[in-house]
Amino acid sequence: MDITEIAIPEFVTVDADQRLGKVRSIFERENPKGLVVLNDGEYAGVIAEKQLIQSHIEDQTKAAAFMKSAPRVDRYEDVRETARMLIEGDTQIAPVFEGDNLWGIVTTDAILEAVLENLDALTVEQIYTADVVTIGEEDRLGQAINRLREHGISRLPVLNENGKLTGILTTHDIVDFVTRKMHRQGKGDRSGDIDRMLDLPVYDLMRSPVFTTNPGESVREAVERMFEKDIAGLVVTPADSDAEVIGVLTKTDVLRALTYTERDTMDVQITNIGLLDTMSREELVESILQVVDKYQEMRVHHAHVRFHEHKEKLRGTPLIQCQIRIRTSHGQVAGSGEGYGAEHAFRVALDKLERNVLELKGINSDEEYRGQLLRKLGEL
């Protein structure tokens, strides 16, 4: 199946010289999945909503300064390959080209709507993200923004002082709030206004009640609920409790599942692959395989590597955060680390991943080990 019937020729564009204030207004007025940035009429990049929560960017900043590159998709590209490109580009929207001409766009929503009927074969338990990041009701908005940036996510389940789920805070909520505040306050002291907003408690911005799903629900039912409620993710809770958070299911998780194959080789996806500089994609995949091959009894279905660039630099080399998550027959295992340059960060994260795999193996063999230890002690 290709994207011929999925890609759409209608899309919203902004000029590379357009100011951030105007871009925020477009998101508020038209609520697009993303914007295509043009420079002298030629495609230059895209802007997603989550890029607008960077509070340090002034309203006068040009669009070209905070747009990001997105993979160019051929109008007749395969759906599975398109899904992989969107994930690795860390974007919900990509330009579609027919030859050398910008023809339209393709979005995550369009792909999911096209394959909705096939999602009955999957359950939420098979694909949701268990390594969930949360925030407290009394934590400040600035803390929430930093957490969203640090982990490259778009939503935070909100917990009360007892650890119970009470709300959800998303990048959409933050962008909408900041835009409305700025419009209402006029020019004024923008830096002071922003400081006051960042000090607000999360409770003041979170949405409640929270839309949830449970591990036994079909992915199709979960995605249909996302479309019905016009949201991009659901909090995963046990079937018998809607106050305990065990994970998050997003449209990106579902999109990633579409890229799984039936091959014996492991699927590896890389987000922000453009940060790889001193090593190739093939070398990265081989390094993960070398770790996995040490533990043959643990079958790995899928691996996801994500790079995030910090502002800090050392002799011109940026500080990079790397997160590696593998989905195995024994559950999910992850490792993360930081280093100057993508390769250094990847090696640190890979070492942490291997230690976590060993720990998981240790848990599985714990009873056997205890028995051996007791026998040894009995011999002394």
Side-chain angles (χ1 to χ4, degrees):
M1 178 182 180
D2 63 32
I3 64 166
T4 307
E5 302 300 325
I6 299 175
I8 53 177
E10 297 84 17
F11 52 95
V12 182
T13 66
V14 294
D15 190 80
D17 289 331
Q18 191 65 264
R19 306 295 179 177
L20 174 60
K22 179 67 173 179
V23 173
R24 282 179 169 148
S25 298
I26 294 174
F27 272 100
E28 181 186 30
R29 184 176 66 253
E30 303 187 35
N31 194 28
K33 298 300 179 185
L35 302 178
V36 174
V37 182
L38 302 179
N39 188 6
D40 292 331
E42 298 292 326
Y43 168 73
V46 298
I47 297 174
E49 192 171 50
K50 68 180 181 180
Q51 292 166 254
L52 303 186
I53 67 170
Q54 301 181 57
S55 57
H56 61 278
I57 299 180
E58 298 292 334
D59 270 2
Q60 295 305 307
T61 305
K62 294 182 179 180
F66 58 93
M67 71 180 183
K68 64 182 296 183
S69 60
R72 298 186 179 210
V73 179
D74 184 83
R75 189 181 171 190
Y76 305 100
E77 184 61 85
D78 176 73
V79 167
R80 175 174 286 180
E81 178 63 15
T82 301
R84 184 191 67 77
M85 293 168 71
L86 286 171
I87 292 170
E88 293 197 346
D90 191 26
T91 180
Q92 302 292 315
I93 176 178
V96 176
F97 279 77
E98 190 167 35
D100 293 329
N101 299 318
L102 177 61
W103 183 88
I105 59 170
V106 63
T107 66
T108 296
D109 279 2
I111 293 176
L112 294 180
E113 286 174 350
V115 302
L116 191 59
E117 293 182 0
N118 300 322
L119 298 179
D120 270 335
L122 290 171
T123 63
V124 170
E125 185 173 25
Q126 292 175 291
I127 68 171
Y128 79 91
T129 298
D131 187 17
V132 62
V133 181
T134 62
I135 193 84
E137 288 181 339
E138 299 305 317
D139 288 333
R140 302 300 164 182
L141 179 59
Q143 293 174 272
I145 291 175
N146 287 335
R147 206 161 293 181
L148 290 166
R149 286 186 198 148
E150 178 184 352
H151 295 277
I153 54 180
S154 59
R155 65 200 55 252
L156 293 167
V158 183
L159 309 181
N160 64 16
E161 58 183 8
N162 297 317
K164 300 299 183 181
L165 177 67
T166 57
I168 189 81
L169 181 69
T170 70
T171 54
H172 179 83
D173 299 325
I174 296 172
V175 171
D176 181 61
F177 171 76
V178 171
T179 302
R180 285 187 287 107
K181 271 283 188 181
M182 289 305 187
H183 282 177
R184 196 159 51 239
Q185 292 173 348
K187 295 182 179 179
D189 177 12
R190 288 300 175 89
S191 60
D193 293 339
I194 289 174
D195 287 341
R196 285 189 288 274
M197 283 188 279
L198 295 181
D199 201 40
L200 287 172
V202 167
Y203 183 85
D204 287 2
L205 273 78
M206 74 178 196
R207 281 187 287 165
S208 185
V210 185
F211 299 115
T212 64
T213 182
N214 65 75
E217 188 172 41
S218 76
V219 173
R220 175 176 178 172
E221 291 175 301
V223 173
E224 285 177 337
R225 189 172 306 118
M226 292 183 205
F227 284 141
E228 177 188 349
K229 304 299 182 182
D230 192 24
I231 55 177
L234 301 167
V235 177
V236 183
T237 61
D240 58 353
S241 171
D242 59 0
E244 178 187 351
V245 178
I246 60 175
V248 171
L249 178 73
T250 67
K251 290 177 179 177
T252 300
D253 291 322
V254 181
L255 198 70
R256 187 175 296 117
L258 297 180
T259 69
Y260 295 171
T261 71
E262 299 301 322
R263 299 173 302 174
D264 290 335
T265 54
M266 178 180 62
D267 288 321
V268 178
Q269 290 172 343
I270 307 168
T271 297
N272 291 330
I273 194 171
L275 294 177
L276 276 177
D277 45 9
T278 59
M279 68 185 304
S280 68
R281 188 184 199 282
E282 290 71 24
E283 290 172 329
L284 180 147
V285 173
E286 181 60 30
S287 296
I288 295 177
L289 285 172
Q290 287 175 4
V291 170
V292 171
D293 286 345
K294 296 179 182 179
Y295 315 107
Q296 292 292 339
E297 71 277 12
M298 178 183 287
R299 183 181 177 189
V300 178
H301 306 299
H302 178 76
H304 180 214
V305 181
R306 178 183 178 274
F307 292 104
H308 172 71
E309 183 177 359
H310 293 292
K311 287 184 177 180
E312 182 181 339
K313 291 186 178 182
L314 178 65
R315 291 191 290 273
T317 302
L319 179 65
I320 303 289
Q321 180 190 51
C322 177
Q323 297 173 324
I324 308 173
R325 180 179 289 111
I326 59 176
R327 194 182 301 276
T328 80
S329 55
H330 291 61
Q332 293 188 60
V333 192
S336 63
E338 292 185 342
Y340 289 98
E343 182 174 3
H344 182 199
F346 171 72
R347 298 298 179 190
V348 175
L350 189 67
D351 181 66
K352 179 64 175 177
L353 176 73
E354 183 166 6
R355 281 184 279 148
N356 288 341
V357 168
L358 281 169
E359 183 179 341
L360 182 61
K361 280 192 66 193
I363 292 173
N364 291 336
S365 61
D366 196 43
E367 291 302 321
E368 180 183 352
Y369 173 75
R370 280 202 193 96
Q372 292 172 348
L373 181 60
L374 288 171
R375 283 194 297 275
K376 289 290 185 184
L377 289 173
E379 294 171 0
L380 295 177

Coordinates of all heavy atoms in Angstrom, one line a residue, residues 270-328:
I270 N 15.5 5.4 14.4 CA 16.4 6.4 14.9 C 15.7 7.8 14.8 O 15.3 8.2 13.7 CB 17.7 6.5 14.2 CG1 18.4 5.1 14.2 CG2 18.6 7.5 14.9 CD1 19.6 5.0 13.3
T271 N 15.4 8.4 15.9 CA 14.8 9.8 15.9 C 15.9 10.8 15.9 O 16.8 10.7 16.7 CB 13.9 9.9 17.1 OG1 12.8 9.0 17.0 CG2 13.3 11.3 17.1
N272 N 15.8 11.8 15.1 CA 16.8 12.9 14.9 C 18.1 12.3 14.4 O 19.2 12.5 14.9 CB 17.0 13.6 16.2 CG 15.9 14.5 16.6 OD1 15.1 15.0 15.7 ND2 15.6 14.6 17.9
I273 N 17.9 11.5 13.3 CA 19.1 10.8 12.7 C 20.1 11.7 12.2 O 21.3 11.4 12.0 CB 18.6 9.8 11.6 CG1 19.7 8.8 11.2 CG2 18.1 10.5 10.4 CD1 19.2 7.7 10.3
G274 N 19.7 13.0 11.9 CA 20.6 14.0 11.3 C 21.7 14.3 12.3 O 22.8 14.9 11.9
L275 N 21.6 14.0 13.6 CA 22.6 14.3 14.6 C 23.8 13.3 14.5 O 24.9 13.6 15.1 CB 22.1 14.4 16.0 CG 21.1 15.5 16.3 CD1 20.5 15.4 17.7 CD2 21.7 16.9 16.1
L276 N 23.6 12.2 13.8 CA 24.7 11.2 13.7 C 25.7 11.8 12.8 O 25.4 12.1 11.6 CB 24.1 9.9 13.1 CG 23.5 8.9 14.0 CD1 23.0 7.7 13.2 CD2 24.5 8.4 15.0
D277 N 26.9 11.9 13.2 CA 28.0 12.6 12.4 C 29.2 11.7 12.2 O 29.6 11.5 11.1 CB 28.4 13.9 13.1 CG 28.6 13.8 14.6 OD1 28.6 12.6 15.1 OD2 28.8 14.8 15.2
T278 N 29.7 11.0 13.3 CA 30.9 10.3 13.1 C 30.7 8.8 13.0 O 31.6 8.0 12.9 CB 31.8 10.5 14.3 OG1 31.1 10.1 15.5 CG2 32.2 11.9 14.4
M279 N 29.4 8.3 12.9 CA 29.1 6.9 12.7 C 27.9 6.8 11.8 O 27.0 7.7 11.8 CB 28.9 6.2 14.0 CG 27.6 6.6 14.8 SD 27.5 5.8 16.4 CE 27.6 4.1 16.0
S280 N 27.8 5.7 11.1 CA 26.7 5.5 10.2 C 25.6 4.8 10.9 O 25.7 4.2 12.0 CB 27.2 4.6 9.0 OG 27.5 3.3 9.4
R281 N 24.4 4.8 10.2 CA 23.3 4.1 10.7 C 23.6 2.6 10.9 O 23.2 1.9 11.9 CB 22.1 4.3 9.8 CG 20.7 3.8 10.3 CD 19.6 3.9 9.3 NE 18.3 3.8 9.9 CZ 17.7 2.7 10.3 NH1 18.4 1.6 10.1 NH2 16.5 2.7 10.8
E282 N 24.3 2.0 9.9 CA 24.6 0.6 9.9 C 25.5 0.3 11.1 O 25.3 -0.8 11.8 CB 25.3 0.2 8.6 CG 24.4 0.3 7.4 CD 24.0 1.7 6.9 OE1 24.8 2.6 7.3 OE2 23.0 1.8 6.3
E283 N 26.4 1.1 11.4 CA 27.3 0.9 12.6 C 26.5 0.9 13.9 O 26.8 0.1 14.8 CB 28.4 1.9 12.6 CG 29.5 1.8 11.5 CD 30.4 2.9 11.4 OE1 30.0 4.1 11.8 OE2 31.6 2.7 11.0
L284 N 25.6 1.9 14.0 CA 24.7 2.0 15.2 C 23.9 0.7 15.4 O 23.9 0.1 16.5 CB 23.9 3.2 15.1 CG 22.9 3.5 16.2 CD1 22.7 5.0 16.4 CD2 21.5 2.9 16.0
V285 N 23.3 0.2 14.3 CA 22.4 -1.0 14.4 C 23.3 -2.2 14.8 O 22.9 -3.0 15.6 CB 21.7 -1.2 13.0 CG1 21.0 -2.6 13.0 CG2 20.7 -0.1 12.7
E286 N 24.5 -2.3 14.2 CA 25.4 -3.4 14.5 C 25.8 -3.4 15.9 O 25.9 -4.5 16.6 CB 26.6 -3.4 13.6 CG 27.6 -4.5 13.8 CD 27.0 -5.9 13.5 OE1 26.1 -6.0 12.7 OE2 27.4 -6.8 14.2
S287 N 26.0 -2.2 16.5 CA 26.4 -2.1 17.9 C 25.3 -2.6 18.8 O 25.5 -3.3 19.8 CB 26.7 -0.7 18.3 OG 27.9 -0.2 17.6
I288 N 24.0 -2.3 18.5 CA 22.9 -2.8 19.3 C 22.8 -4.3 19.1 O 22.5 -5.0 20.1 CB 21.6 -2.1 18.9 CG1 21.7 -0.6 19.2 CG2 20.4 -2.7 19.6 CD1 20.5 0.2 18.7
L289 N 22.9 -4.8 17.9 CA 22.8 -6.2 17.7 C 23.9 -7.0 18.5 O 23.6 -8.1 18.9 CB 23.0 -6.5 16.2 CG 21.8 -6.2 15.3 CD1 22.1 -6.3 13.8 CD2 20.6 -7.1 15.6
Q290 N 25.1 -6.4 18.6 CA 26.1 -7.1 19.4 C 25.8 -7.3 20.8 O 26.1 -8.3 21.4 CB 27.4 -6.3 19.2 CG 28.1 -6.4 17.9 CD 29.3 -5.5 17.8 OE1 29.7 -4.9 18.7 NE2 29.9 -5.5 16.6
V291 N 25.1 -6.3 21.4 CA 24.6 -6.4 22.8 C 23.5 -7.5 22.8 O 23.5 -8.3 23.7 CB 24.1 -5.1 23.3 CG1 23.3 -5.2 24.6 CG2 25.2 -4.1 23.5
V292 N 22.5 -7.4 21.9 CA 21.4 -8.3 21.9 C 21.8 -9.7 21.7 O 21.3 -10.7 22.3 CB 20.4 -7.9 20.8 CG1 19.3 -8.9 20.6 CG2 19.8 -6.5 21.1
D293 N 22.8 -10.0 20.8 CA 23.2 -11.3 20.5 C 23.8 -12.0 21.7 O 23.9 -13.3 21.7 CB 24.2 -11.3 19.4 CG 23.6 -11.0 18.0 OD1 22.3 -11.1 18.0 OD2 24.3 -10.7 17.1
K294 N 24.2 -11.3 22.7 CA 24.8 -12.0 23.9 C 23.7 -12.7 24.7 O 24.0 -13.5 25.6 CB 25.4 -10.9 24.8 CG 26.6 -10.2 24.2 CD 27.2 -9.2 25.2 CE 28.4 -8.5 24.6 NZ 28.9 -7.5 25.5
Y295 N 22.4 -12.3 24.5 CA 21.3 -12.9 25.3 C 20.3 -13.4 24.4 O 19.2 -12.9 24.2 CB 20.7 -11.7 26.2 CG 21.8 -10.9 26.8 CD1 22.1 -9.6 26.4 CD2 22.6 -11.5 27.9 CE1 23.1 -8.9 27.0 CE2 23.6 -10.7 28.5 CZ 23.9 -9.5 28.0 OH 24.9 -8.7 28.6
Q296 N 20.6 -14.6 23.8 CA 19.7 -15.2 22.7 C 18.4 -15.5 23.2 O 17.4 -15.5 22.5 CB 20.4 -16.4 22.1 CG 21.7 -16.1 21.3 CD 21.4 -15.3 20.0 OE1 20.3 -15.4 19.6 NE2 22.4 -14.7 19.5
E297 N 18.3 -15.9 24.5 CA 17.0 -16.3 25.1 C 16.0 -15.1 25.2 O 14.8 -15.2 25.4 CB 17.1 -16.9 26.4 CG 17.5 -16.0 27.6 CD 19.0 -15.7 27.6 OE1 19.7 -16.1 26.7 OE2 19.5 -15.1 28.6
M298 N 16.5 -13.9 25.0 CA 15.7 -12.7 25.1 C 15.5 -12.2 23.6 O 16.4 -11.5 23.0 CB 16.4 -11.6 25.9 CG 15.6 -10.3 26.0 SD 16.4 -9.0 26.9 CE 16.2 -9.6 28.6
R299 N 14.4 -12.4 23.1 CA 14.1 -12.1 21.7 C 13.7 -10.6 21.6 O 12.8 -10.1 22.3 CB 13.0 -12.9 21.1 CG 12.7 -12.6 19.6 CD 11.6 -13.4 19.1 NE 11.3 -13.0 17.7 CZ 10.2 -13.5 17.0 NH1 9.4 -14.3 17.6 NH2 10.1 -13.1 15.8
V300 N 14.4 -9.8 20.8 CA 14.1 -8.4 20.6 C 13.3 -8.2 19.4 O 13.7 -8.5 18.3 CB 15.5 -7.6 20.5 CG1 15.2 -6.1 20.3 CG2 16.3 -7.8 21.8
H301 N 12.1 -7.5 19.6 CA 11.2 -7.3 18.5 C 11.5 -5.9 17.8 O 11.3 -5.8 16.6 CB 9.8 -7.3 19.0 CG 9.4 -8.5 19.7 ND1 9.4 -9.8 19.1 CD2 9.0 -8.7 21.0 CE1 9.0 -10.7 20.0 NE2 8.8 -10.0 21.1
H302 N 12.0 -5.0 18.6 CA 12.1 -3.6 18.0 C 13.0 -2.8 18.9 O 13.1 -3.0 20.1 CB 10.7 -3.0 18.0 CG 10.7 -1.6 17.4 ND1 10.9 -1.3 16.1 CD2 10.6 -0.4 18.1 CE1 10.9 0.1 16.0 NE2 10.7 0.6 17.1
A303 N 13.8 -1.9 18.3 CA 14.6 -1.0 19.0 C 14.4 0.4 18.5 O 14.2 0.7 17.3 CB 16.1 -1.4 18.9
H304 N 14.4 1.4 19.4 CA 14.2 2.8 19.1 C 15.3 3.6 19.7 O 15.5 3.6 20.9 CB 12.8 3.3 19.6 CG 12.6 4.7 19.2 ND1 11.9 5.6 20.0 CD2 13.0 5.5 18.1 CE1 11.8 6.8 19.5 NE2 12.5 6.8 18.3
V305 N 16.0 4.4 18.9 CA 17.1 5.2 19.4 C 16.7 6.7 19.1 O 16.4 7.0 18.0 CB 18.5 4.9 18.7 CG1 19.6 5.8 19.2 CG2 18.8 3.4 18.8
R306 N 16.8 7.5 20.2 CA 16.5 8.9 20.0 C 17.6 9.8 20.5 O 18.2 9.6 21.6 CB 15.2 9.2 20.9 CG 14.8 10.7 20.8 CD 13.6 11.0 21.7 NE 13.3 12.4 21.7 CZ 13.9 13.3 22.4 NH1 14.9 13.0 23.3 NH2 13.6 14.6 22.3
F307 N 18.0 10.7 19.6 CA 19.0 11.7 20.0 C 18.4 13.1 20.2 O 17.4 13.5 19.5 CB 20.0 11.9 18.8 CG 20.9 10.6 18.6 CD1 20.6 9.8 17.6 CD2 21.9 10.3 19.5 CE1 21.4 8.7 17.3 CE2 22.7 9.2 19.3 CZ 22.5 8.4 18.2
H308 N 18.9 13.8 21.2 CA 18.4 15.2 21.5 C 19.6 16.1 21.8 O 20.5 15.7 22.6 CB 17.5 15.1 22.7 CG 17.1 16.5 23.2 ND1 16.2 17.3 22.5 CD2 17.5 17.2 24.3 CE1 16.1 18.5 23.1 NE2 16.8 18.4 24.2
E309 N 19.6 17.2 21.1 CA 20.8 18.1 21.2 C 20.5 19.2 22.2 O 19.5 19.9 22.1 CB 21.1 18.8 19.8 CG 22.3 19.7 19.8 CD 22.6 20.2 18.4 OE1 21.8 19.9 17.4 OE2 23.5 21.0 18.3
H310 N 21.5 19.3 23.1 CA 21.4 20.4 24.1 C 22.2 21.7 23.6 O 22.9 21.6 22.6 CB 22.0 20.0 25.4 CG 21.3 18.9 26.1 ND1 20.0 19.1 26.7 CD2 21.6 17.6 26.4 CE1 19.6 18.0 27.3 NE2 20.5 17.1 27.1
K311 N 22.0 22.8 24.2 CA 22.7 24.0 23.8 C 24.2 24.0 24.2 O 25.0 24.6 23.5 CB 22.0 25.2 24.5 CG 20.7 25.6 23.9 CD 20.2 26.9 24.6 CE 18.9 27.3 24.0 NZ 18.4 28.6 24.7
E312 N 24.5 23.3 25.3 CA 25.9 23.3 25.7 C 26.8 22.6 24.7 O 26.5 21.6 24.0 CB 26.0 22.5 27.0 CG 27.4 22.4 27.6 CD 27.4 21.6 28.9 OE1 26.3 21.4 29.5 OE2 28.5 21.1 29.3
K313 N 28.0 23.2 24.5 CA 29.0 22.7 23.6 C 30.4 22.6 24.2 O 30.7 23.4 25.2 CB 29.1 23.6 22.3 CG 27.8 23.5 21.5 CD 28.0 24.3 20.2 CE 26.7 24.2 19.3 NZ 26.9 24.9 18.0
L314 N 31.2 21.8 23.7 CA 32.6 21.6 24.1 C 33.5 21.7 22.9 O 33.4 20.8 22.0 CB 32.8 20.3 24.9 CG 34.3 20.1 25.3 CD1 34.7 21.1 26.4 CD2 34.4 18.7 25.9
R315 N 34.2 22.8 22.8 CA 35.0 23.1 21.6 C 34.2 22.8 20.3 O 34.7 22.2 19.3 CB 36.3 22.2 21.6 CG 37.2 22.5 22.7 CD 38.6 21.8 22.5 NE 38.4 20.4 22.8 CZ 38.5 19.9 24.1 NH1 38.8 20.7 25.1 NH2 38.4 18.6 24.3
G316 N 33.0 23.4 20.3 CA 32.1 23.3 19.1 C 31.3 22.1 19.0 O 30.4 22.0 18.1
T317 N 31.5 21.0 19.8 CA 30.8 19.8 19.7 C 29.6 19.9 20.7 O 29.8 20.1 21.9 CB 31.6 18.6 20.0 OG1 32.7 18.5 19.1 CG2 30.8 17.3 19.9
P318 N 28.4 19.7 20.2 CA 27.2 19.8 21.1 C 27.0 18.7 22.1 O 27.4 17.5 21.8 CB 26.0 19.9 20.2 CG 26.5 19.1 19.0 CD 27.9 19.4 18.8
L319 N 26.5 19.0 23.3 CA 26.1 17.9 24.2 C 24.9 17.2 23.7 O 23.8 17.9 23.5 CB 25.9 18.5 25.6 CG 25.5 17.5 26.7 CD1 26.6 16.6 27.0 CD2 25.1 18.3 28.0
I320 N 24.9 15.9 23.6 CA 23.8 15.1 23.0 C 23.3 14.2 24.1 O 24.1 13.5 24.8 CB 24.2 14.3 21.8 CG1 24.8 15.3 20.7 CG2 23.1 13.5 21.2 CD1 23.8 16.1 20.0
Q321 N 22.0 14.1 24.2 CA 21.4 13.0 25.0 C 20.9 11.9 24.1 O 20.3 12.2 23.0 CB 20.2 13.5 25.8 CG 19.5 12.5 26.7 CD 18.2 12.9 27.3 OE1 17.4 13.4 26.6 NE2 18.1 12.8 28.6
C322 N 21.2 10.7 24.4 CA 20.7 9.5 23.7 C 19.9 8.6 24.5 O 20.3 8.3 25.7 CB 21.9 8.7 23.1 SG 21.5 7.2 22.2
Q323 N 18.8 8.2 24.0 CA 17.9 7.2 24.7 C 17.7 6.0 23.8 O 17.4 6.2 22.6 CB 16.5 7.8 25.0 CG 16.6 9.0 26.0 CD 15.3 9.7 26.1 OE1 14.5 9.8 25.2 NE2 15.0 10.2 27.3
I324 N 18.0 4.8 24.3 CA 17.7 3.6 23.6 C 16.7 2.8 24.3 O 16.8 2.5 25.5 CB 19.0 2.7 23.5 CG1 20.2 3.6 22.9 CG2 18.8 1.5 22.6 CD1 21.5 2.8 23.0
R325 N 15.7 2.4 23.6 CA 14.6 1.5 24.2 C 14.4 0.3 23.3 O 14.2 0.4 22.1 CB 13.3 2.3 24.3 CG 12.2 1.5 24.9 CD 10.9 2.3 25.0 NE 11.0 3.3 26.1 CZ 11.0 4.6 25.9 NH1 11.0 5.0 24.6 NH2 11.1 5.4 26.9
I326 N 14.5 -0.9 23.9 CA 14.2 -2.1 23.1 C 13.0 -2.8 23.7 O 12.7 -2.8 24.9 CB 15.4 -3.1 23.1 CG1 15.8 -3.5 24.5 CG2 16.6 -2.4 22.4 CD1 16.9 -4.5 24.5
R327 N 12.2 -3.3 22.8 CA 11.0 -4.1 23.1 C 11.3 -5.6 22.9 O 11.6 -6.0 21.8 CB 9.8 -3.7 22.3 CG 8.4 -4.1 22.8 CD 7.3 -3.7 21.8 NE 7.3 -2.3 21.6 CZ 6.7 -1.4 22.5 NH1 6.1 -1.9 23.5 NH2 6.7 -0.1 22.2
T328 N 11.2 -6.3 24.0 CA 11.7 -7.7 24.0 C 10.6 -8.7 24.4 O 9.5 -8.3 24.9 CB 12.9 -7.9 24.9 OG1 12.5 -8.1 26.2 CG2 13.9 -6.8 24.8

